[in-house]
Amino acid sequence: MKNVLGREIPEYINGYGSVNPFEGAFSNMGIKEKKAVKVTTVTPFDNKVLESIEEAIEKIGLKDGMTISFHHHLRNGDYVLNMVLEVIHKKGIKDLTIAASSIFPVHAPMVELIKNGTITGIYANYMSGPVAEAVSRGYLKNCAVMQTHGGRPRAIESGDLHIDAAFIAAPTADTYGNINGVTGKSACGALGYAVSDAEYADKVVAITDNLVQYPACPIEISQIYVDYVVKVDSIGNPAGIVSGTTKITKDPVGLKIAKMAAEVMKASGIVKNGLSFQTGAGGTALAVAAELKEIMKKEGVVGSFAAGGTTGYIVEMLEEGLFNSLLDVQCFDLKAVESYRENPKHQAMSASMYANPHNKGAVVNNLDVMILGATEIDLDFNVNVTTGSDGKIMGGSGGHSDTAAGSKLAIVVTNLVKARLPIIKENVTTVTTPGESIDVLVTERGIAVNPKRTDLIEKLKETNLPVMTIKELKDLAEKITGKPNNIKLSEDIVAVVEYRDGTVIDVVRKVID
Amino acid sequence: MKNVLGREIPEYINGYGSVNPFEGAFSNMGIKEKKAVKVTTVTPFDNKVLESIEEAIEKIGLKDGMTISFHHHLRNGDYVLNMVLEVIHKKGIKDLTIAASSIFPVHAPMVELIKNGTITGIYANYMSGPVAEAVSRGYLKNCAVMQTHGGRPRAIESGDLHIDAAFIAAPTADTYGNINGVTGKSACGALGYAVSDAEYADKVVAITDNLVQYPACPIEISQIYVDYVVKVDSIGNPAGIVSGTTKITKDPVGLKIAKMAAEVMKASGIVKNGLSFQTGAGGTALAVAAELKEIMKKEGVVGSFAAGGTTGYIVEMLEEGLFNSLLDVQCFDLKAVESYRENPKHQAMSASMYANPHNKGAVVNNLDVMILGATEIDLDFNVNVTTGSDGKIMGGSGGHSDTAAGSKLAIVVTNLVKARLPIIKENVTTVTTPGESIDVLVTERGIAVNPKRTDLIEKLKETNLPVMTIKELKDLAEKITGKPNNIKLSEDIVAVVEYRDGTVIDVVRKVID
């Protein structure tokens, strides 16, 4: 069958099940159920602190075929996922599904466990490095499921993704399982991606390298969700957890794109008191923030909030009074961690509050402007950030589809040509985010507005910005690069790309060497 | 049938249902289920702000026979319960059950609605004033259900108490339903008793007199739980919401009892680094805190946390470094509100985290010392704080049973004789808290230790404290007052007293004039 975007998807996928096809960004709404949760009660006479990860695995009764979850706040510095899987492998437990909010190059040891059948399923919102490569080559027994930052808590809370045990990397935990990310040698800041796991998993284990006296204030994840606490020497490599600082690009093309994107915002009329804003941690995305900052200062605009994964640059905008508050699901750098710890205006949100489409209104619903990237974009503005032009998985939605759907003005900023390949395609390799959620594409050579935004097209006509159709932009790129060849992929499906509401927006097929 | 405490309770009670008899403080534990919750999703195009309470009642589809809930953070200053019920009465909706965490004299208008059939059921953890009187006289169609501060969230989360709609008095709310209690003219501080209602009710309406720009940081109750927001002129009378200051008793008998209670604590060996402590907001309870403070200062003891409803006096102990943190479910005075707003070591907890026996370990489980009151206590140390000596409801457990069960040393402090009546009875009128949870009774004339605490009896023998059996204390009191007459009550049951785990510990029978 074909879904509403014309993507060819089977009605049933082995190792995944029946497919609910994507039918539009807000088609699957209404009354939804959060599932019942089983809790093993704890009396005043019980002790939650265990000696080792092995003891925890025994206590929770981990068995073949179960699903275990991890969060990615320690990013490419995470030791916890590998530590837990090493113990599991030694115990000979097989056929596990790993529900990790994201998977990074540091998780390379998973590849061997995929090959030997310890791991047979993967859920992730983002994956890069050797595991992504292994999935792309079809080594995983079941197809992987790529979700979004809002789709993951939706799936966990609804029961679509049942977690038997969640292992929570805890920069600080007390003896009763209260957790925070703001203190300890592995401090990473807000722990938003771990919240639904803690609330809905059958069993929850906190793994910490900073076990403190009860209570571990500030409490980000409460004792009422945690069954056991294990102390280890180190949960991660600080160098990989948070970068020292996140920096604005110095590339003149990126700076040009950023300036144009800020001019689009200004021309749209959205830059006024109460503005809400989110951007990524990449160099160009931060450059857009820098341009926006100048406009806000010049015009005396005070925004309501900035959201997202947070960087020092956005923290500076808060501290300069350009925003009243920050809503933060994860901290990308040390300045963000410090601000989150010290500044009450810098507040945590769970991934569910951030982006889950099936709660009573996520934060993304209140975003005015979202700055997004793209690996590929097609003539209908459908965006791919899941696979590279070689067809291999190299990312995933993260919050891309969520923020695009929620924000009033979703702007994709990208170079028109990357690595000698045009970004605009007749058909993208994989659809991550539907074009209906994208309002504008800004490249160094020109700006294309989604035709449904006739209001914005009118407003931009009054500026000197180089507005054209996306087809014209595509032709412009192909004059430079020539028409790219289509890549050849196997028919075998290696990953299902779930839209935030749990419908299937696309599939990823196995690469052919 | 008789439950384990020998209280006569029918197996089935009309308007309540089958009775699960109380079998011991930790008999009903193990694997428990938190129920599934239905959520009506909210898109970026939806608006949550409604014009009036009437519009909210229409939107949520309130019907005859439903259960609606309220929290008591505005205490005897609350306007919201009466406002909502007035609209409901005008609309002619009947047969409602009111699940209010507590009911105060200000809620007197409920009596008329009880008489005319608008209200036919009541759940509360505490009730005093005209509603308590009306229930005691048997005016309510179904018997009332008296719960505890931990039993209420347990019942809500398990589905034992299904809430169709929760009305949350919000000192501050934004247009998307984020709520806090720290700002606004009706600021009351922590909102712990409203959390389970927000999380588990079918529909949730925030009623505020301080509607602010999104987002209302700090967010205590998240937008993801709130369906609608209604702005009204005033949610309460500040004079009734928080007292200016809570004060230590000046009564020499109260001071003497406090001194003895502190000496019991000291002799028990529990006053050492890491001590955790909770006391009430009454004058004698605060006097115990004052005595403890002197001991801690003299001995250089630093406690881990103080918990509970919080007063300025406990805040001072935090600020003087005597405790590392406060865990707070509600603020009793302005100083506590201010501290909660400004001091990151003063942290909120939900009622579920505070005291729910069926989660993965409540805060009460970590209490070392709890100071409690009593209206009556029997020879087995069973305590009544639900009914007066006339048999009328004049209170309820609140956190009494929860903290008694959780704490290592539960001390009841009370005058031996009150209003010419002895406190120690052969049989208490109503059992609120089982004697197994009470360790010591301290009166001005003597101290009685629960016989099961042989360790404590040994330790107190080494002091000059007037330790005796509870029978000896009872005889001492009766020498002063004479043996009191038993009160006569009807056979009709007007209230069921649920222990925190949902079993029935006692019933309250109708008073005879």
Side-chain angles (χ1 to χ4, degrees), chain B residues 177-400:
Chain B
N178 293 296
I179 295 170
N180 75 59
V182 299
T183 55
K185 64 182 176 183
S186 305
C188 62
L191 296 172
Y193 296 119
V195 175
S196 293
D197 304 49
E199 290 176 351
Y200 286 86
D202 282 350
K203 294 284 180 180
V204 177
V205 180
I207 299 180
T208 189
D209 53 11
N210 188 36
L211 184 64
V212 299
Q213 185 190 49
Y214 181 89
C217 291
I219 296 166
E220 290 189 70
I221 292 176
S222 164
Q223 63 188 48
I224 68 173
Y225 302 116
V226 177
D227 294 277
Y228 299 113
V229 181
V230 177
K231 166 96 164 60
V232 296
D233 289 340
S234 173
I235 61 168
N237 174 4
I241 296 173
V242 281
S243 56
T245 49
T246 40
K247 288 210 178 87
I248 295 169
T249 187
K250 285 183 175 155
D251 169 45
V253 175
L255 290 172
K256 184 179 178 191
I257 293 168
K259 199 171 181 60
M260 287 162 72
E263 283 172 20
V264 169
M265 275 187 253
K266 190 178 164 186
S268 76
I270 213 162
V271 184
K272 58 188 180 196
N273 283 338
L275 171 72
S276 55
F277 177 73
Q278 182 172 337
T279 190
T284 303
L286 286 181
V288 179
E291 292 291 340
L292 174 64
K293 178 173 163 178
E294 290 315 308
I295 297 172
M296 290 176 79
K297 278 171 114 169
K298 200 188 286 174
E299 307 205 345
V301 169
V302 177
S304 55
F305 73 96
T310 309
T311 61
Y313 200 82
I314 300 297
V315 166
E316 278 171 23
M317 292 179 79
L318 173 72
E319 290 172 351
E320 289 178 38
L322 295 172
F323 289 106
N324 287 329
S325 55
L326 298 189
L327 296 177
D328 194 351
V329 67
Q330 74 170 325
C331 302
F332 283 122
D333 58 28
L334 290 174
K335 192 174 167 75
V337 174
E338 188 190 340
S339 164
Y340 171 58
R341 184 174 56 228
E342 306 294 341
N343 189 344
K345 292 178 174 176
H346 185 159
Q347 189 147 5
M349 59 182 172
S350 68
S352 190
M353 180 172 168
Y354 170 37
N356 179 351
H358 289 173
N359 64 29
K360 296 176 183 175
V363 168
V364 296
N365 289 4
N366 288 301
L367 273 178
D368 287 332
V369 180
M370 178 68 208
I371 306 299
L372 296 162
T375 310
E376 299 174 332
I377 184 166
D378 72 16
L379 296 177
D380 294 326
F381 290 79
N382 296 310
V383 174
N384 173 21
V385 290
T386 303
T387 48
S389 50
D390 58 359
K392 281 185 198 163
I393 296 168
M394 41 56 72
S397 172
H400 198 285

Side-chain angles (χ1 to χ4, degrees), chain A residues 21 78 85 100 145 184 228 234 291 303 332 337 362 377 382 389 422 427 436:
Chain A
D78 175 48
L85 286 178
V145 181
Y228 299 113
S234 173
E291 292 291 339
F332 283 121
V337 174
I377 184 165
N382 295 310
S389 51
N427 290 298
E436 66 172 293

Side-chain angles (χ1 to χ4, degrees), chain A residues 30 32 34 36-37 39 41-42 48 176 213 218-219 223 225 227 305 324 347 359-363 365-366, chain B residues 30 32 34 36-37 39 41-42 48 176 213-214 218-219 223-225 227 324 347 359-363 365-366:
Chain A
K32 300 292 175 181
K34 305 214 179 208
V37 179
V39 170
T41 62
V42 173
K48 292 189 181 186
Y176 223 54
Q213 185 190 51
I219 297 166
Q223 63 189 46
Y225 301 117
D227 294 277
F305 73 96
N324 287 328
Q347 189 147 7
N359 65 28
K360 296 176 182 175
V363 168
N365 289 4
N366 288 301
Chain B
K32 300 291 176 182
K34 305 215 179 207
V37 179
V39 170
T41 61
V42 173
K48 291 190 181 186
Y176 223 54
Q213 185 190 49
Y214 181 89
I219 296 166
Q223 63 188 48
I224 68 173
Y225 302 116
D227 294 277
N324 287 329
Q347 189 147 5
N359 64 29
K360 296 176 183 175
V363 168
N365 289 4
N366 288 301

Side-chain angles (χ1 to χ4, degrees), chain B residues 344-459:
Chain B
K345 292 178 174 176
H346 185 159
Q347 189 147 5
M349 59 182 172
S350 68
S352 190
M353 180 172 168
Y354 170 37
N356 179 351
H358 289 173
N359 64 29
K360 296 176 183 175
V363 168
V364 296
N365 289 4
N366 288 301
L367 273 178
D368 287 332
V369 180
M370 178 68 208
I371 306 299
L372 296 162
T375 310
E376 299 174 332
I377 184 166
D378 72 16
L379 296 177
D380 294 326
F381 290 79
N382 296 310
V383 174
N384 173 21
V385 290
T386 303
T387 48
S389 50
D390 58 359
K392 281 185 198 163
I393 296 168
M394 41 56 72
S397 172
H400 198 285
S401 317
D402 303 302
T403 52
S407 58
K408 290 187 185 63
L409 182 62
I411 303 176
V412 169
V413 294
T414 177
N415 292 27
L416 187 61
V417 173
K418 280 188 206 166
R420 296 191 195 165
L421 287 169
I423 295 300
I424 305 169
K425 298 279 170 76
E426 189 81 34
N427 291 299
V428 292
T429 312
T430 312
V431 178
T432 313
T433 296
E436 67 172 293
S437 297
I438 303 295
D439 298 289
V440 192
L441 166 66
V442 178
T443 73
E444 73 280 16
R445 297 293 293 269
I447 293 169
V449 180
N450 190 321
K452 70 167 186 160
R453 289 298 304 267
T454 49
D455 60 321
L456 191 59
I457 293 169
E458 287 307 308
K459 282 176 180 161

